[in-house]
């Protein structure tokens, strides 16, 4: 049986056979980092460069979770073709693939050079919509649907926000820090990246969770000290952070840094030598290394902490386990503390501003 290009797949038949490269694969957990898997999602590419979204439903996840991997090539048959989803679309297309318990796949090796490894539709930074301007619906006939290439959920509820692909020069990177949000029951890991395009427009990129930890910041910082570092980000969502427009991503989010791609080559040629070394961005909060180091902190009880001499232990850190017995919802029990003088600090752009006018501190941590 011949292999069919993804562009030919349509509803109404189940005899398709395809050979595809798994460009992206992730587990959708309903807006949580470690919750139960709702479905497995993929972006598939054929040798002609066509792309298609594919999904393994929740009831079949266990049958395929150890059999298919990102970055590999498979022959696939006995699957179904459905109309594209209204939400959860990481790439545009009229149809999608859905695996069944009968779906068969065979891995093929040594053929990677025959397939493209990524797909994207770039939106200039200057043309990114404001979060408030995002349309609620997208149809195949709308101009927005042609520009804003996908829709998927982020957070605890389903939203119809578009995901976008952008390109830019990395100008700043922060450490991965622990971030406490009122909307989540547990701390999150956060990293900030600054991007700039060829016209000077800038955007803030927020990486969360595993993406923040997996980003090779040290290597990128070292490379960016002497050469421009150009990145294509796919699957980003436009969000507002402290009054500034930025982009973030979900499990479908990926980055391609200084890859041999036409758009990156063109960006580099037009940039020439007009770049500066990547700067370090200071964020409030504990770094991942500091969080890991807490296991070695001396343990104290609440009584022992209360009896400590604050003058002799001004910069000391201890570990204390407590049980919250009462809570007044109208009274805050933690605050952003200036790392210089320990007074309260307020967000000020991508940094913080100490409440003491005499203090020049721009970093803060929760206390």
């Amino acid at each position: 049986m011949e292999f069919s290009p993804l562009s030919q797949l349509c509803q109404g038949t189940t005899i398709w056979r395809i050979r595809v490269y798994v460009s992206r694969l992730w587990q959708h957990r309903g807006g949580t980092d470690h919750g139960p898997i709702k479905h497995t999602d993929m972006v598939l590419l054929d040798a002609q460069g066509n792309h298609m979204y594919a999904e393994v439903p929740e009831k079949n996840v266990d049958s395929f979770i150890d059999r298919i991997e990102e970055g590999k090539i498979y022959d696939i048959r006995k699957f179904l073709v459905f109309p594209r989803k209204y939400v959860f679309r990481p790439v545009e297309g009229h149809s999608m693939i859905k695996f069944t318990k009968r779906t068969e796949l065979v891995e093929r090796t040594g053929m990677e050079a025959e397939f493209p490894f990524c797909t994207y539709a770039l939106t200039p930074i200057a043309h990114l919509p404001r979060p408030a301007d995002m349309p609620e619906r997208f149809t195949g006939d709308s101009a927005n649907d042609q520009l804003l290439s996908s829709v998927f959920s982020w957070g605890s509820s389903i939203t119809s926000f578009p995901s976008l692909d952008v390109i830019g020069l990395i100008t700043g990177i922060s450490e991965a820090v622990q971030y406490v949000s009122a909307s989540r029951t547990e701390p999150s890991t956060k990293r900030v990246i600054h991007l700039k395009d060829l016209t000077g427009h800038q955007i803030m990129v927020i990486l969360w969770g595993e993406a923040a930890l997996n980003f090779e910041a040290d290597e990128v910082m070292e490379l960016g000290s002497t050469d421009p570092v150009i990145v294509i980000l796919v699957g980003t969502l436009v969000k507002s952070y402290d009054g500034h427009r930025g982009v973030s991503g979900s499990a479908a989010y990926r980055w391609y840094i200084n890859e041999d791609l036409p758009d990156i080559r063109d960006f580099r040629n037009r940039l020439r030598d007009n770049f500066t070394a990547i700067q370090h961005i200071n964020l409030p909060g504990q770094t991942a290394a500091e969080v890991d180091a807490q296991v070695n902190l001396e343990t104290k009880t609440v009584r022992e902490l209360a009896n400590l001499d604050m003058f002799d232990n001004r910069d000391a850190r201890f570990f204390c386990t407590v049980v919250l017995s009462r809570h007044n919802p109208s009274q805050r029990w933690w605050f952003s503390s200036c790392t210089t003088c320990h007074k309260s600090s307020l967000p000020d752009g991508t940094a913080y501003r100490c409440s003491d006018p005499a203090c020049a501190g721009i970093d803060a941590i929760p206390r």
Side-chain angles (χ1 to χ4, degrees), residues 2 13 19 25 27 59 86 91 94 130 144 233 246 284 327 332-333 366:
E2 295 288 335
T13 180
R19 175 169 289 173
L25 182 148
Q27 311 297 340
K59 62 182 179 181
Y86 176 71
V91 292
H94 295 291
R130 293 179 301 175
N144 278 328
L233 307 172
H327 174 52
R332 294 179 61 186
W333 59 280

Side-chain angles (χ1 to χ4, degrees), residues 176-210:
V177 301
Q178 193 174 76
Y179 175 80
V180 180
S181 170
S183 62
R184 297 176 69 93
T185 58
E186 58 184 22
S188 302
T189 304
K190 171 183 177 181
R191 187 190 299 275
V192 171
I193 298 174
H194 289 172
L195 285 189
K196 183 171 69 173
D197 66 13
L198 291 166
T199 62
H201 290 91
Q202 300 186 57
I203 197 74
M204 180 169 55
V205 181
I206 312 295
L207 303 185
W208 298 100
E210 292 298 322

Side-chain angles (χ1 to χ4, degrees), residues 64-83:
F64 293 96
I65 194 167
D66 295 324
R67 297 174 52 202
I68 189 165
E69 298 179 31
E70 184 174 306
K72 293 189 175 182
I73 297 169
Y74 297 89
D75 294 348
I76 308 177
R77 60 191 295 263
K78 293 185 180 180
F79 55 86
L80 301 177
V81 179
F82 280 80

Side-chain angles (χ1 to χ4, degrees), residues 268-304:
R268 182 182 297 275
N269 291 335
R270 295 170 62 191
L271 181 66
R272 298 179 183 177
D273 295 326
N274 185 24
F275 78 99
T276 57
I278 296 177
Q279 302 297 307
H280 181 267
I281 302 171
N282 292 314
L283 289 183
Q286 292 178 293
T287 67
E290 290 172 336
V291 173
D292 291 339
Q294 285 188 165
V295 297
N296 298 319
L297 293 179
E298 181 182 352
T299 300
K300 296 284 189 182
T301 65
V302 173
R303 182 183 297 274
E304 289 172 332

Side-chain angles (χ1 to χ4, degrees), residues 76-150:
I76 308 177
R77 60 191 295 263
K78 293 185 180 180
F79 55 86
L80 301 177
V81 179
F82 280 80
R84 64 181 181 179
K85 281 189 171 185
Y86 176 71
V87 293
F88 300 106
R89 293 203 312 271
V91 292
E92 194 49 77
H94 295 291
S95 304
M96 62 170 284
I97 289 172
K98 185 169 290 189
F99 282 41
T100 74
K101 64 179 181 180
R102 306 293 184 189
T103 299
E104 298 176 359
L105 66 157
V106 178
E107 182 183 347
R108 299 300 182 188
T109 59
M111 307 178 65
E112 289 77 12
E114 301 177 19
F115 290 78
F117 65 89
C118 66
T119 181
Y120 53 84
L122 295 177
T123 298
I125 291 177
H127 295 170
L128 291 174
R130 293 179 301 175
D133 291 341
M134 292 183 183
E136 296 181 357
R137 297 181 63 89
F138 298 93
T139 64
D141 296 330
S142 73
N144 278 328
D145 199 34
Q146 298 171 13
L147 173 64
L148 308 177
S149 61
S150 62

Side-chain angles (χ1 to χ4, degrees), residues 232-269:
I232 289 178
L233 307 172
V234 297
T236 70
L237 293 175
V238 180
K239 295 289 187 72
S240 178
Y241 301 99
D242 298 328
H244 299 278
R245 182 172 54 177
V247 297
S248 68
S250 67
Y253 176 76
R254 295 293 185 275
W255 54 79
Y256 306 107
I257 298 175
N258 280 0
E259 293 283 0
D260 186 19
L261 294 168
D263 289 283
I264 289 182
R265 291 198 302 268
D266 178 66
F267 193 106
R268 182 182 297 275
N269 291 335

Side-chain angles (χ1 to χ4, degrees), residues 11 16 34 47 54 71 81 84-85 125-126 131 143 159 174 182 190 204 226 234 258 272 289 305 318-319 353:
Q11 307 160 56
W16 302 109
H34 307 290
V81 179
R84 64 181 181 179
K85 281 189 171 185
I125 291 177
T159 57
S174 78
K190 171 183 177 181
M204 180 169 55
T226 56
V234 297
N258 280 0
R272 298 179 183 177
L305 291 175
F318 303 96
F319 186 83
R353 184 181 71 255

Side-chain angles (χ1 to χ4, degrees), residues 324-334:
L324 188 64
S325 59
R326 288 197 314 274
H327 174 52
N328 182 352
S330 63
Q331 181 179 1
R332 294 179 61 186
W333 59 280
W334 69 273

